[in-house]
Structure formats: C-alpha cells, structure tokens
Amino acid sequence: MLKKKVVITKHNIVTAYGWGVDALWTGLLSGYSAVKPVERFNTKNFLTNNAGTIEDLDASKDES
C-alpha cells in the first residue's frame, strides 16, 4: 500500500458555542454549557427539548 502525504492548509469548526476555534475554546473555558432548550422546532415527541444547536445555521445553504 502506498502512503500519501496529507497537508492541512485550513481548519475551522462550528459548534453550539459559535463559529471558529476561538469561539469553541472560549466557550469551553467559560464553564457554561452550550446545551439549551430547542426553539427551532417542536420537540414534544423527543425525550428532551435540550440540545446543542448552532445559531444562525441555515441548513438549506451550501456552506462549502
């Protein structure tokens, strides 16, 4: 099997704390949970109404 080199030229992350590595790190160090009640849709058929959601995420857009 041939080994191939991999080079990472850019990184980013989106979490319930926000967009970017800095938002994630700040959120983790804050001691507060990013999990909160879901307001985007009805959760009555789920076991909980809490989740770590991503604010301002439009799943209908291609974010690539």
Side-chain angles (χ1 to χ4, degrees):
M1 175 187 293
L2 293 174
K3 292 184 179 182
K4 295 183 180 183
K5 291 183 180 180
V6 175
V7 178
I8 299 172
T9 60
K10 185 177 179 181
H11 72 277
N12 208 348
I13 190 167
V14 60
T15 70
Y17 286 116
W19 293 83
V21 175
D22 290 337
L24 171 61
W25 190 242
T26 300
L28 291 172
L29 293 178
S30 74
Y32 292 101
S33 174
V35 174
K36 57 187 176 186
V38 174
E39 298 177 351
R40 290 185 181 169
F41 53 85
N42 188 333
T43 59
K44 72 176 185 172
N45 292 324
F46 296 98
L47 296 176
T48 183
N49 68 329
N50 296 316
T53 59
I54 301 168
E55 298 293 324
D56 303 324
L57 178 69
D58 184 354
S60 66
K61 290 189 336 186
D62 179 13
E63 298 286 341
S64 57

